[in-house]
Amino acid sequence: METTLVKSNFKSEEYFINMGPQHPATHGVLRLLLTIDGEIIKKVEPDLGYIHRSIEKMCERDSYQQIVHLTDRMDYLSSHINNEAVCLTVENALQLELPDRVKVIRTILSELTRIASHCLWWGVMGMDVGALTTYFYGFRDREMINDIFEETCGARLTMNYNIPGGLMFDIHPNFVQRTKDFIAHFKTKLPEYDTLLTGNVIFQKRTKGVGVLSKEDAISFGASGPVGRGSGYSCDVRKHHPYSAYDRVTFNEALKTEGDTFARYQVRIQEMWEAMSIIEQLIDNIPEGEHKVATNAVIKLPKGEYYQKVETARGELGVYIISIGTKNPYRLKFRSPGFSNLSLLNHIAVGGKIGDLVASMATLDLVIPDIDR
Amino acid sequence: MSYISDIYTGIKTLLTGMSVTGKYFLTSRKGAITQQYPDNRSTLKMFERFRGEVVMPHDENNEHQCTGCQKCELACPNGSIEIIWDRGIDEATGKKKKFIDKHIYHLGLCTMCGLCIEACPTDAIVWAQNFENSTYDRTQLTKVLNRPGSKVKAGVED
């Protein structure tokens, strides 16, 4: 029997599909314009602006105390760290010397925020690749941290606990005990995360070798946080430019060189262990003292330009203030980690399948209000 | 051959993961973390610092501690607080004194940042812990915090 070439009318051609703005895997109102050929992705174009609230412009209207609560609404999963960034910028500009107590409490709360954010990320990451159970386990452990925040700060998500000059009020008497209870609890639960998801072959097949980002590309795209560190780019602000109490604790920077989705996953799991070790070093000896230093009721920064960067759960957040000596900033710019990390999505997703795009997007850990502001 | 071994390791790691979920399945009654809201309303207690809404406590003589200094109004980032004030004769000293007519609080605008309560010099406004604030009409979210006929407590100065 002879084999003949069948002439068919079907031909392959590229076409558009919309992913989002209401797609569950985009984790918010992010719209991706996908150019695909069959199931192979040719181009990814993020379309932003669905949740733009002009926070930077609103900052020009507000006083320096009032700016802090707006930053809760950017990267809402690391709102405490965002607050700290603005407060540090203002304090450095005023050359305020903070009490040790403030620095230590801020560091503990920042690391708790990081664990809470990574817990949520882990749950959602599992859900994106098809394991719904992880979602509930991640939220179960995050709930304990939320209770700590609710008892001390009064809110679960938008804390607004930092003010320029310290903390709004002192920590709750139960804070230390609750934090210790959480660490003891989480130390037994984090190995379960590995048993449930990390060791799973189906999960590893979905993530290993997917969305590979080289170190050079990570640097040139401005990747920071676990995305940069998954590619071997040592970019931890806590390590290289210590702020608050990070200079008095010892911790390892989680680094992986593979640069794929699984490496970024492992970096975040490792960061949760490191965050627990930082809290353990600080929680037993919180120095006594005042919880804030007195500032003027109307804060006026001296004329000039100020920049401060911190490490949020997603990467490097920079706050850049231009002051002309009035009670409002003349211009305030946030360098958000999510925006830079989103910019490399096209680079790592091209050539893969749609399922790979979802997996690599999950490890970029995008928070859309942080990107749009 | 690798196809079959892939299936084998896939099922094996799946069962490893299911040992975790199975443990929780069998002990689910003991370790339940969900709450049966709203059935547990009678026993549900919020943390004392929880930011539900801003209220102005009054004592048994219908007296509050607000002197009308407007510091909360200035501290508020988005105009949730409006104070309508007037001047009157203080009965004790006979001097002219500022007092509030209405302390208006727009709960619908409030972002629960807590700056007003930090700014208050006389602790006249505090957080309440109730969180069931939904209404059918948004005009009900505009509240007058001082009760009708109330006056400032004697001796409260800012």
Side-chain angles (χ1 to χ4, degrees):
Chain A
M1 204 171 131
E2 233 176 276
T3 315
T4 53
L5 181 70
V6 181
K7 278 208 165 177
S8 108
N9 287 328
F10 294 111
K11 58 179 185 206
S12 142
E13 68 174 27
E14 292 183 359
Y15 62 104
F16 271 118
I17 58 167
N18 252 323
M19 188 168 165
Q22 295 296 337
H23 193 279
T26 55
H27 299 187
V29 278
L30 172 68
R31 179 177 172 222
L32 295 175
L33 289 164
L34 308 182
T35 311
I36 53 177
D37 183 3
E39 215 195 331
I40 308 292
I41 293 170
K42 296 286 178 194
K43 195 177 169 194
V44 183
E45 262 184 290
D47 185 14
L48 303 176
Y50 285 90
I51 194 161
H52 182 71
R53 295 146 298 171
S54 69
I55 283 184
E56 286 178 8
K57 195 72 189 169
M58 282 158 81
C59 289
E60 293 171 19
R61 172 201 72 182
D62 286 349
S63 74
Y64 288 102
Q65 289 98 330
Q66 291 171 345
I67 286 170
V68 177
H69 93 288
L70 288 173
T71 59
D72 286 335
R73 273 90 186 161
M74 299 196 314
D75 180 357
Y76 47 76
L77 291 180
S78 43
S79 54
H80 191 90
I81 314 178
N82 296 349
N83 294 349
E84 194 180 352
V86 176
C87 293
L88 282 172
T89 321
V90 174
E91 284 151 10
N92 289 348
L94 293 173
Q95 294 177 339
L96 283 181
E97 188 51 49
L98 288 182
D100 279 354
R101 186 178 177 81
V102 175
K103 290 182 182 173
V104 169
I105 292 172
R106 276 183 180 178
T107 311
I108 294 172
L109 282 168
S110 295
E111 291 308 310
L112 281 175
T113 312
R114 198 180 313 279
I115 296 178
S117 169
H118 284 349
C119 274
L120 192 144
W121 158 82
W122 180 78
V124 174
M125 162 102 203
M127 199 177 68
D128 278 349
V129 296
L132 190 66
T133 316
T134 60
Y135 190 75
F136 300 109
Y137 288 8
F139 267 72
R140 173 197 63 194
D141 300 333
R142 181 172 174 266
E143 196 60 31
M144 288 187 78
I145 305 180
N146 275 350
D147 278 349
I148 297 172
F149 287 153
E150 196 176 340
E151 193 171 40
T152 287
C153 318
R156 293 157 57 84
L157 202 64
T158 54
M159 271 88 81
N160 194 32
Y161 183 52
N162 286 313
I163 51 169
L167 307 167
M168 207 178 242
F169 26 74
D170 210 346
I171 51 170
H172 195 272
N174 292 346
F175 174 78
V176 174
Q177 190 52 46
R178 265 182 189 273
T179 311
K180 280 180 182 167
D181 289 348
F182 168 74
I183 298 289
H185 164 88
F186 198 53
K187 275 198 167 161
T188 63
K189 299 299 173 194
L190 198 47
E192 281 184 3
Y193 285 23
D194 286 339
T195 319
L196 192 63
L197 195 64
T198 318
N200 192 313
V201 169
I202 303 167
F203 174 73
Q204 289 186 4
K205 292 244 170 191
R206 285 288 305 272
T207 50
K208 273 187 179 166
V210 167
V212 180
L213 178 74
S214 69
K215 187 179 174 183
E216 289 71 32
D217 288 333
I219 294 170
S220 71
F221 277 108
S224 57
V227 179
R229 291 197 284 282
S231 303
Y233 169 35
S234 168
C235 56
D236 199 327
V237 181
R238 297 173 291 168
K239 203 85 179 163
H240 297 290
H241 307 277
Y243 54 94
S244 291
Y246 284 111
D247 48 355
R248 64 184 79 172
V249 291
T250 50
F251 65 101
N252 298 319
E253 188 180 358
L255 269 182
K256 287 275 168 191
T257 47
E258 290 89 351
D260 59 355
T261 304
F262 194 62
R264 293 192 282 274
Y265 173 89
Q266 283 175 310
V267 164
R268 286 209 174 83
I269 295 282
Q270 184 62 32
E271 273 196 3
M272 286 200 254
W273 285 110
E274 297 299 335
M276 277 200 285
S277 114
I278 292 174
I279 296 169
E280 276 185 330
Q281 290 171 46
L282 294 172
I283 192 72
D284 275 323
N285 35 25
I286 299 176
E288 295 294 319
E290 289 293 310
H291 64 276
K292 63 177 170 187
V293 289
T295 53
N296 294 337
V298 178
I299 294 178
K300 288 182 179 174
L301 292 198
K303 199 173 173 183
E305 300 177 10
Y306 308 97
Y307 185 74
Q308 171 73 40
K309 55 185 177 180
V310 297
E311 179 83 16
T312 71
R314 258 143 226 91
E316 178 189 321
L317 172 79
V319 180
Y320 176 59
I321 295 178
I322 300 180
S323 170
I324 49 168
T326 54
K327 67 184 172 68
N328 317 83
Y330 177 75
R331 173 83 171 93
L332 196 147
K333 160 95 181 117
F334 293 110
R335 183 261 182 229
S336 72
F339 188 79
S340 308
N341 290 352
L342 177 67
S343 72
L344 54 85
L345 181 62
N346 182 48
H347 181 75
I348 62 174
V350 166
K353 304 252 183 354
I354 292 179
D356 298 343
L357 169 72
V358 172
S360 37
M361 211 158 68
T363 46
L364 293 186
D365 198 10
L366 303 170
V367 168
I368 313 305
D370 183 37
I371 296 165
D372 274 347
R373 296 193 291 287
Chain B
M1 200 57 212
S2 80
Y3 181 71
I4 293 172
S5 68
D6 274 0
I7 292 176
Y8 175 72
T9 48
I11 290 172
K12 198 179 125 194
T13 50
L14 203 62
L15 287 176
T16 315
M18 279 171 80
S19 69
V20 175
T21 51
K23 197 181 85 192
Y24 285 111
F25 177 69
L26 294 174
T27 59
S28 59
R29 286 186 183 278
K30 207 165 57 183
I33 54 154
T34 45
Q35 295 181 4
Q36 296 300 320
Y37 181 80
D39 294 340
N40 67 345
R41 263 190 189 145
S42 53
T43 54
L44 182 66
K45 196 174 174 301
M46 305 302 287
F47 293 112
E48 67 233 41
R49 288 182 184 175
F50 178 74
R51 299 171 187 169
E53 64 170 321
V54 176
V55 292
M56 184 181 284
H58 288 64
D59 65 1
E60 62 277 6
N61 304 327
N62 203 15
E63 286 177 341
H64 55 75
Q65 302 191 47
C66 180
T67 56
C69 67
Q70 290 179 296
K71 279 181 181 159
C72 53
E73 194 179 7
L74 280 170
C76 183
N78 50 7
S80 308
I81 293 177
E82 275 178 69
I83 294 175
I84 299 173
W85 55 275
D86 203 352
R87 285 188 196 280
I89 306 293
D90 189 2
E91 287 162 8
T93 56
K95 285 178 185 166
K96 265 201 164 184
K97 197 182 166 188
K98 197 170 166 182
F99 67 93
I100 55 167
D101 186 18
K102 273 180 182 170
H103 189 297
I104 301 169
Y105 170 55
H106 300 277
L107 179 58
L109 289 174
C110 183
T111 56
M112 314 288 168
C113 65
L115 291 173
C116 53
I117 285 158
E118 275 301 292
C120 184
T122 57
D123 293 335
I125 46 176
V126 292
W127 283 116
Q129 274 74 42
N130 56 322
F131 56 91
E132 290 161 330
N133 290 325
S134 58
T135 56
Y136 285 104
D137 184 6
R138 67 174 179 185
T139 54
Q140 289 172 8
L141 292 173
T142 299
K143 301 181 179 187
V144 179
L145 293 188
N146 56 325
R147 292 191 196 142
S150 63
K151 57 181 189 195
V152 64
K153 210 177 277 180
V156 175
E157 298 282 339
D158 54 276

